[in-house]
Amino acid sequence: MASRAKRITLSEPGIAGSYELVERRADGTLLLRPERELLSEVIRDSEARVFRDEEFVAHLERVAAAADDLPSES
């Protein structure tokens, strides 16, 4: 049975986003690969949430990096 990739979410400004754990090294460091979130997931996670200054910037960066999966309005 294949195991699912471990997903890690960071909220620090400048590195905020979702990552996939690629490798756990012997010295305890983690090697992470950015994971593209779906825009619908970002909206669902943040719906009705009030953001503070740095949180809002991190949220906008998360939105900008998301893969657009929303239907077009045409």
Side-chain angles (χ1 to χ4, degrees):
M1 175 184 233
S3 62
R4 282 183 55 195
K6 186 109 176 162
R7 182 177 169 202
I8 297 172
T9 303
L10 302 175
S11 59
E12 284 292 319
I15 59 170
S18 293
Y19 297 84
E20 179 183 339
L21 177 61
V22 175
E23 179 184 344
R24 225 180 267 259
R25 296 184 175 164
D27 66 357
T29 59
L30 303 175
L31 179 60
L32 304 175
R33 174 183 352 187
E35 178 180 276
R36 271 197 89 172
E37 291 183 278
L38 297 177
L39 188 53
S40 60
E41 290 176 3
V42 174
I43 292 170
R44 188 173 28 256
D45 287 347
S46 59
E47 195 169 10
R49 182 170 171 206
V50 176
F51 293 99
R52 303 288 180 232
D53 298 330
E54 293 170 356
E55 293 174 327
F56 184 64
V57 171
H59 175 68
L60 291 178
E61 290 172 351
R62 186 177 170 200
V63 168
D68 186 1
D69 67 328
L70 301 176
S72 66
E73 293 184 17
S74 52

